[in-house]
Amino acid sequence: MAEQTKQFRYYDLVMAAFVTILICSNLIGPAKIAQVVVPGIGPITFGAGVLFFPISYVFGDILTEVYGYARARRVIWTGFGGLIFASIMASVIVALPPAPFWNNQPAYDVAFGSTWRIVAASIFAYFCGEFVNSFVLAKMKILTSGKWLWTRTVGSTLASEAVDSSLFYPLAFYGSGIIPDDKLPLVMMSQFIAKVSVEVVFTPFTYWIVGFLKRAEHEDYYDIHTNFTPFSLKA
């Protein structure tokens, strides 16, 4: 009982950061296609959201590593609810008839008018990917006896991003004409590599935050007896 009622100083702040990054990367990022020229490689085209969405997995790693799978599960469900609300709000606002003197509706449609197919695919892929991320990290922590944090953060991201990309792109774009079907595997692979690369780049940041939180919270949870069902809010 004491474990369930334990109070933490930073858990709610980490939750807020996770949900903020998740919603912003899903609402703001997808509307822009960016291109950068990499010396020796050439131009690389990507959805701008790919730069920030993987950070939600970084915070998912931090939550599971410090607070355990069950508490991370509550945050994942919180993000799920926030993402659904944001999607509904964006759809309602886009659908409202613009005033005759307001000429910015086309730009608003492009920025926030994602089709429900893309929104549903994004939410479903997020749900599956985040739980895979948390599950793999929690299990690897036990297998490694809490050592080699980088193997858990990178390993869980490899698994979760593979799930996320393999679900999102076919569900969102297959047969839609937006992305040619024969190009989907290439897009999926490039996005997968980009997202995992972001996780690797943020590894020092992850180490610093995890170390700080473990010391501040006096917590380093091991999910030895955890019920790993995703369909619970019990912490």
Side-chain angles (χ1 to χ4, degrees):
M1 180 63 69
E3 188 68 32
Q4 294 181 350
T5 58
K6 185 174 181 179
Q7 299 296 310
F8 296 105
R9 295 170 60 188
Y10 298 104
Y11 174 74
D12 56 339
L13 298 179
V14 179
M15 176 190 291
F18 174 92
V19 175
T20 299
I21 293 167
L22 175 70
I23 293 176
C24 289
S25 62
N26 274 275
L27 284 185
I28 301 173
K32 182 171 183 177
I33 304 299
Q35 186 177 84
V36 296
V37 178
V38 179
I41 298 178
I44 296 178
T45 304
F46 56 93
V50 75
L51 296 177
F52 296 95
F53 178 72
I55 302 176
S56 68
Y57 282 93
V58 173
F59 277 91
D61 292 342
I62 292 169
L63 283 159
T64 305
E65 175 69 22
V66 178
Y67 302 104
Y69 176 89
R71 295 188 182 97
R73 177 174 55 198
R74 289 177 60 88
V75 176
I76 293 172
W77 275 107
T78 301
F80 184 74
L83 194 56
I84 290 177
F85 175 79
S87 300
I88 294 173
M89 179 177 173
S91 297
V92 170
I93 292 177
V94 168
L96 288 173
F101 57 84
W102 193 71
N103 301 316
N104 298 315
Q105 184 67 25
Y108 215 84
D109 290 340
V110 171
F112 299 105
S114 299
T115 67
W116 267 106
R117 178 178 174 180
I118 295 176
V119 170
S122 175
I123 292 174
F124 181 69
Y126 152 77
F127 181 83
C128 296
E130 284 290 353
F131 275 113
V132 167
N133 183 72
S134 189
F135 176 83
V136 171
L137 190 141
K139 288 295 187 181
M140 287 185 67
K141 184 174 183 178
I142 297 172
L143 291 174
T144 60
S145 300
K147 302 175 183 177
W148 311 308
L149 174 60
W150 69 271
T151 64
R152 301 194 291 281
T153 59
V154 175
S156 62
T157 298
L158 285 170
S160 59
E161 292 293 4
V163 170
D164 184 279
S165 296
S166 63
L167 288 175
F168 172 70
Y169 289 98
L171 290 174
F173 300 112
Y174 185 79
S176 68
I178 298 175
I179 299 177
D181 292 347
D182 62 333
K183 300 297 183 183
L184 278 176
L186 179 61
V187 173
M188 291 163 59
M189 180 57 66
S190 64
Q191 296 294 297
F192 171 77
I193 293 173
K195 291 175 181 179
V196 173
S197 298
V198 171
E199 174 74 49
V200 173
V201 169
F202 272 85
T203 295
F205 170 79
T206 304
Y207 264 82
W208 184 81
I209 292 293
V210 165
F212 169 79
L213 289 175
K214 285 181 178 180
R215 292 189 300 270
E217 306 283 36
H218 304 289
E219 182 68 280
D220 186 6
Y221 199 88
Y222 285 77
D223 288 286
I224 298 175
H225 302 294
T226 299
N227 179 359
F228 283 96
T229 175
F231 304 106
S232 174
L233 292 177
K234 184 178 180 181

